């Protein structure tokens, strides 16, 4: 059929009118789509606002804090649960296969194995496994109230349990604290340490010099230029080995200022301690400082540092050295023991799933330790070095398999003697 010229002309003339009339319809469709999208976003925000996505201060810096994930809301409070199962195989020199206990895994106990001539021994354990609970309640006095509870089974060697039949051990408290309006009350990592600088090793915390302590405290957090400032009163304590004197009259005062940005994490911390001895009726005020950093390098790689100096005592190396000179204490005088320690680590990602960390750590007693023997300052060493190298594979964020080698060197007080300890550790960590 041929189109009549008049019909064609009318149609062409009507096209602009048709286009004009279609614009409002298209606009209406677009508005409805935007409204629908807005409603979906609002619904999503409403769901997220009621979920506990993290425990107080939960970041990737501390993998032991509650994982991200939605929780169960009951009334005005959202409850979440997390943790991990960690299975370890430890093969150690000097007859140390690491018994299924906590105390044998301390650096000062590695020194005893280093001095031994026994063969290498192997041990298996799952006692580092942890579980945790977190809560979040909105509008408690105009602020959000968050709580966090964490436990594991890594109790002392003399705790109930055995390796002969059951390998059953009691849970122990690791962290239990709450946060409200900038305040924190309860037990958590000391303000004197920086978890962002903590190297990633399988035998976590067991380095010669790293600051790694959890204890009860009252802490206040405030915003500061480039980051935040924290100040706390923390539980005081002194002692050595199995001796805990518990005769302190004043809390430890700690403070830390941290800067976090695209160029890395930087922190400076200070501590004041009043060390006392009731038996000698003597006391001394002592202090310590710590500097730390985590600096990004190439890709996802980073380098981590920590340097500490002063009356570090129990705060450094999992209580490697006493808080005071033991010989002077036996003579009726409190003499804070001055030590220093440095840790450096480089973490390299071979692929998004494969990574390695190389960690070196060194600590030494600054005070004179020439006298050795009964009643001396230390019974075995006054300097230690540790080196860790590992290979970790994480096919999923909830699963990490790894193999790690560590080497320790212990220098003895008052001599040129040195002893070495070595350890191979295989680990599987499954988070939930």
């Amino acid at each position: 059929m041929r189109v009549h010229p008049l019909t064609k002309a009318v149609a062409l003339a009507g096209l602009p009118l048709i286009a004009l009339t279609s614009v409002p319809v298209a606009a209406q469709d677009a508005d409805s789509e935007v409204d629908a999208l807005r409603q979906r976003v609002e619904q999503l925000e409403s769901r997220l606002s009621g979920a506990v996505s993290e425990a107080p201060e939960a970041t990737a810096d501390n993998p032991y804090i509650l994982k991200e994930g939605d929780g169960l809301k009951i009334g005005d409070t959202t409850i979440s649960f997390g943790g991990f199962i960690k299975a370890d195989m430890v093969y150690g020199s000097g007859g140390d296969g690491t018994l299924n206990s906590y105390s044998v895994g301390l650096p000062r106990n590695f020194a005893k194995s280093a001095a031994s001539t026994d063969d290498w021994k192997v041990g298996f354990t799952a006692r580092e496994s942890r579980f945790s609970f977190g809560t979040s309640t909105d509008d408690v006095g105009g602020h959000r109230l968050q709580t966090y509870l964490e436990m594991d089974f890594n109790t002392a060697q003399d705790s109930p349990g055995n390796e002969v039949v059951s390998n059953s051990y009691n849970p122990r408290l690791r962290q239990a604290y709450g946060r409200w309006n900038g305040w924190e009350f309860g037990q958590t990592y000391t303000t004197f340490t920086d978890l962002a600088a903590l190297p990633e090793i399988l035998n976590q915390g067991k380095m010669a010099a790293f600051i790694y302590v959890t204890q009860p405290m009252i802490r206040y957090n405030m915003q500061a230029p480039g980051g935040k400032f924290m100040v706390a009163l923390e539980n005081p304590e002194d002692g050595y080995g199995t001796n805990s004197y518990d005769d302190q009259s004043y809390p430890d005062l700690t403070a830390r200022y941290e800067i976090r940005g695209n160029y890395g994490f930087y922190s400076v911390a200070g501590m004041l301690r009043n060390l006392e001895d009731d038996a000698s009726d003597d006391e001394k005020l002592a202090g310590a400082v710590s500097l730390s950093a985590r600096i990004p390098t190439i890709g996802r790689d980073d380098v981590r540092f920590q340097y500490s100096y002063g009356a570090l005592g129990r705060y450094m190396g999992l209580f490697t050295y006493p808080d005071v000179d033991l010989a002077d204490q036996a003579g009726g005088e409190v003499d804070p023991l001055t030590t220093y320690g440095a840790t450096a680590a480089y973490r390299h990602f071979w692929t998004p799933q494969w990574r390695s960390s190389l960690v070196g750590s060194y600590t030494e007693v600054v005070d004179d330790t020439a006298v050795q023997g009964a009643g001396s300052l230390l019974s075995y060493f006054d300097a230690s070095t540790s080196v860790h190298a590992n290979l970790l594979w994480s096919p999923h964020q909830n699963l990490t398999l790894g193999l790690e080698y560590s080497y320790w060197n212990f220098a003895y007080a008052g001599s040129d003697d040195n002893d070495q300890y070595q350890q191979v550790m295989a680990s599987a960590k499954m988070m939930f």
Side-chain angles (χ1 to χ4, degrees):
M1 290 180 59
R2 291 187 59 192
V3 179
H4 195 278
L6 180 60
T7 304
K8 185 177 181 179
V10 172
L12 291 173
L15 283 176
L17 181 61
I18 295 173
L20 289 174
T21 57
S22 66
V23 169
V25 176
Q28 291 177 1
D29 293 341
D31 290 341
S32 62
E33 292 179 359
V34 171
D35 290 339
L37 181 60
R38 184 181 294 111
Q39 292 177 0
R40 293 178 182 177
V41 171
E42 290 176 351
Q43 291 175 357
L44 180 61
E45 289 179 345
S46 177
R47 292 179 181 178
L48 290 177
S49 64
V52 177
S53 60
E54 57 186 16
E57 285 293 284
T59 67
D61 305 332
N62 181 10
Y64 296 142
I65 291 182
L66 193 62
K67 69 179 180 63
E68 293 185 357
D70 295 347
L72 174 65
K73 191 167 187 178
I74 302 177
D76 295 331
T77 300
T78 303
I79 303 174
S80 56
F81 175 74
F84 60 82
I85 303 298
K86 189 167 184 285
D88 299 319
M89 186 281 291
V90 178
Y91 191 49
S93 67
D96 178 30
T98 301
L99 296 176
N100 205 350
S101 63
Y102 171 78
S103 60
V104 178
L106 298 177
R108 64 174 181 266
N109 296 93
F110 293 159
K112 297 179 181 179
S113 296
S116 172
T117 58
D118 292 339
D119 295 332
W120 285 59
K121 302 297 181 181
V122 66
F124 290 77
T125 181
R127 296 180 63 183
E128 196 178 329
S129 301
R130 303 178 185 178
F131 60 94
S132 52
F133 298 90
T135 70
S136 178
T137 306
D138 293 329
D139 196 15
V140 177
H143 302 277
R144 174 176 295 183
L145 174 64
Q146 296 174 299
T147 65
Y148 182 71
L149 175 66
E150 179 184 77
M151 305 184 76
D152 69 4
F153 307 88
N154 217 9
T155 47
Q157 187 176 4
D158 58 354
S159 62
N162 64 79
E163 285 193 73
V164 179
V165 178
S166 65
N167 285 274
S168 57
Y169 294 89
N170 295 332
R172 67 165 186 168
L173 180 68
R174 280 189 53 83
Q175 297 189 76
Y177 68 100
R179 161 175 288 186
W180 179 83
N181 191 24
W183 290 92
E184 289 176 337
F185 308 93
Q187 178 167 310
T188 185
Y189 290 96
T190 175
T191 311
F192 192 58
T193 192
D194 183 9
L195 294 177
L198 181 66
E200 186 180 24
I201 64 174
L202 297 180
N203 212 0
Q204 198 61 269
K206 295 180 177 64
M207 293 154 284
F210 203 82
I211 305 297
Y212 197 76
V213 173
T214 60
Q215 59 191 9
M217 69 184 68
I218 301 173
R219 180 162 63 196
Y220 184 71
N221 304 266
M222 66 188 74
Q223 297 299 315
K228 69 176 182 178
F229 177 75
M230 294 159 279
V231 61
L233 297 177
E234 305 191 14
N235 183 59
E237 188 54 83
D238 69 344
Y240 188 58
T242 58
N243 296 321
S244 178
Y245 305 121
D246 200 21
D247 52 6
Q248 308 306 304
S249 301
Y250 308 99
D252 290 355
L253 174 63
T254 59
R256 181 157 62 94
Y257 173 53
E258 65 177 24
I259 299 176
R260 297 195 171 202
N262 295 331
Y263 299 100
F265 304 158
Y266 304 88
S267 177
V268 56
M271 172 176 57
L272 284 177
R273 311 174 62 191
N274 190 70
L275 300 174
E276 305 175 37
D277 180 37
D278 287 346
S280 60
D281 193 24
D282 191 22
E283 62 182 84
K284 292 287 176 57
L285 182 65
V289 295
S290 182
L291 305 174
S292 59
R294 188 170 106 188
I295 306 170
T297 56
I298 303 172
R300 297 176 62 186
D301 293 6
D302 62 67
V303 61
R304 308 179 186 200
F305 302 99
Q306 186 181 65
Y307 175 82
S308 306
Y309 180 91
L312 299 169
R314 65 186 179 88
Y315 280 86
M316 183 177 64
L318 299 180
F319 206 6
T320 296
Y321 302 120
D323 289 299
V324 300
D325 187 316
L326 300 182
D328 288 346
Q329 185 183 47
E333 180 182 357
V334 172
D335 185 12
L337 185 63
T338 302
T339 58
Y340 77 90
T343 300
Y346 190 87
R347 184 173 67 165
H348 173 65
F349 280 82
W350 305 100
T351 71
Q353 290 78 35
W354 291 88
R355 64 191 183 277
S356 295
S357 288
L358 179 61
V359 183
S361 189
Y362 178 80
T363 181
E364 184 176 352
V365 178
V366 177
D367 298 330
D368 184 14
T369 59
V371 180
Q372 188 178 11
S376 67
L377 175 67
L378 295 174
S379 60
Y380 40 89
F381 66 95
D382 64 349
S384 65
T385 304
S386 67
V387 177
H388 291 73
N390 59 38
L391 179 63
L392 309 181
W393 177 54
S394 298
H396 187 275
Q397 62 179 359
N398 285 24
L399 174 64
T400 296
L401 305 178
L403 185 66
E404 182 171 278
Y405 169 78
S406 61
Y407 171 88
W408 291 75
N409 183 78
F410 299 95
Y412 289 84
S415 72
D416 295 329
D417 295 338
N418 293 271
D419 281 322
Q420 291 75 40
Y421 170 76
Q422 299 179 72
Q423 186 181 89
V424 176
M425 183 175 185
S427 179
K429 182 178 176 181
M430 297 148 283
M431 301 184 68
F432 55 88

